[in-house]
Amino acid sequence: MKKPSEDCQLPDSVVLLHEPRTPWIERNSKQIHPTILSRFLASDNEARGIEKAISEAGLRVSRLEYPSVGIQDIQNIVKKSEKKIIFWNISDGYELYVGSLFPSLCALLPAPYIGSSTYVQCLCQNKHHLKALIDSWGFKTAPWHYFCSKFPEDFSSLKDLTLPLFIKPARMDNSIGSELISPLVKTYEEAIHSIKTLFRAGIDDVLAEEFLPGDEYTVACLHEKTWQLLVLKQDYSGSYISAGTKEGQNVRAQKVVDNQEIMQFALEIITRIGL
């Protein structure tokens, strides 16, 4: 992180809001695979890395961890502080996690915060909702079907999709679950088996998507006075990014590319959803 320029308006202190993994696992010990599901949350190493970067930029930084620090503690910090504080929500998630609630808490206090609103976080964590919204705007996404463990199991709609298929959680990080199944399946029977396996692991909402060939890109987005976008082409071995790759067990390379078409597409999407 670079040191801020003199004309940049910055707070005196940054407070990180974090839901760490270990207490989450303890609270959810009845989940079949709490360790796997906890991987959605930022690790302690990631949180410490953010703290270090902010500190090296010359700002005061502290970290509040849920549930050891509650709503009343956060309210007291806002009331008693004589400095300009901004909250940074480094815990996202939906339903199983509290991260999506932090922005709403900051809005109610009120207190300035970094990151997207609770609505946007919940929308983006419901991939089938987000895909339906994007489709309604006329943007094409990979054809898909949504399955929920709470509804009667009827997998006949899978045959509306063209093989191969990619099976993934609908409300979590894409790579969660790849410890349990091979997400890329070549038959409808494999797809049904993978969906049921995720259900048994406590992942109640699952997407089956047509697997599209071609290159894969990530767009990094930073908003200052305007959006600054960086298009990254994925460069890794295999057909998809596995859970092991996400956790740094394997090298995951990204190459910066100049692709104006992808940049414009991403800019329209993030503007419309209010990222």
Side-chain angles (χ1 to χ4, degrees):
M1 181 180 287
K2 295 181 180 178
K3 288 184 178 289
S5 59
E6 292 183 2
D7 61 344
C8 183
Q9 296 298 313
L10 289 174
D12 300 308
S13 179
V14 179
V15 179
L16 304 179
L17 298 173
H18 182 214
E19 183 176 15
R21 292 181 182 180
T22 301
W24 188 92
I25 292 172
E26 293 170 353
R27 293 196 305 276
N28 293 274
S29 58
K30 293 182 180 180
Q31 292 275 358
I32 297 176
H33 289 286
T35 302
I36 290 175
L37 300 184
S38 73
R39 196 166 44 72
F40 192 97
L41 301 168
S43 68
D44 287 340
N45 283 340
E46 290 170 325
R48 283 193 291 267
I50 293 172
E51 282 185 282
K52 181 180 178 182
I54 295 172
S55 178
E56 289 176 351
L59 296 174
R60 189 187 304 272
V61 59
S62 59
R63 177 164 36 131
L64 302 183
E65 294 187 345
Y66 175 88
S68 57
V69 174
I71 292 175
Q72 190 62 53
D73 299 303
I74 298 174
Q75 287 178 322
N76 290 336
I77 290 173
V78 173
K79 289 178 181 178
K80 295 179 180 179
S81 178
E82 297 178 355
K83 298 181 179 296
K84 291 184 293 182
I85 292 179
I86 190 166
F87 288 89
W88 186 347
N89 176 28
I90 60 172
S91 293
D92 59 2
Y94 172 72
E95 203 168 57
L96 291 177
Y97 320 94
V98 302
S100 63
L101 303 179
F102 286 142
S104 288
L105 172 61
C106 290
L108 288 171
L109 287 174
Y113 66 93
I114 297 170
S116 296
S117 68
T118 291
Y119 168 75
V120 171
Q121 286 204 44
C122 291
L123 174 63
C124 291
Q125 295 308 328
N126 283 265
K127 297 183 178 68
H128 49 306
H129 291 187
L130 181 62
K131 283 169 66 70
L133 187 62
I134 291 174
D135 273 9
S136 74
W137 295 333
F139 297 106
K140 293 179 67 177
T141 70
W144 84 98
H145 280 296
Y146 162 73
F147 298 94
C148 180
S149 65
K150 299 173 184 176
F151 298 139
E153 295 182 9
D154 179 6
F155 297 108
S156 60
S157 61
L158 278 172
K159 294 192 175 180
D160 296 335
L161 302 174
T162 301
L163 296 168
L165 302 179
F166 196 85
I167 311 300
K168 64 184 180 183
R171 293 186 176 183
M172 297 178 182
D173 188 317
N174 288 354
S175 65
I176 287 182
S178 63
E179 304 96 332
L180 307 171
I181 64 170
S182 176
L184 185 58
V185 299
K186 297 181 179 179
T187 69
Y188 297 116
E189 290 74 21
E190 284 182 89
I192 294 171
H193 175 74
S194 294
I195 293 169
K196 289 183 176 180
T197 300
L198 293 181
F199 284 170
R200 288 193 294 270
I203 298 173
D204 294 324
D205 305 274
V206 179
L207 286 190
E209 275 187 328
E210 290 186 9
F211 184 77
L212 302 182
D215 294 327
E216 182 178 340
Y217 297 88
T218 294
V219 183
C221 311
L222 172 67
H223 191 272
E224 296 179 292
K225 292 182 179 179
T226 59
W227 279 108
Q228 309 295 323
L229 304 183
L230 194 65
V231 180
L232 304 168
K233 181 180 178 181
Q234 305 295 348
D235 181 17
Y236 53 88
S237 60
S239 300
Y240 59 89
I241 299 174
S242 68
T245 307
K246 278 292 183 73
E247 287 297 278
Q249 295 171 15
N250 300 306
V251 175
R252 178 184 175 189
Q254 296 179 322
K255 179 182 178 182
V256 179
V257 296
D258 181 16
N259 190 313
Q260 293 298 315
E261 183 180 3
I262 291 178
M263 198 175 293
Q264 283 302 117
F265 173 81
L267 182 60
E268 183 154 2
I269 295 297
I270 63 179
T271 300
R272 288 198 185 206
I273 67 174
L275 194 67

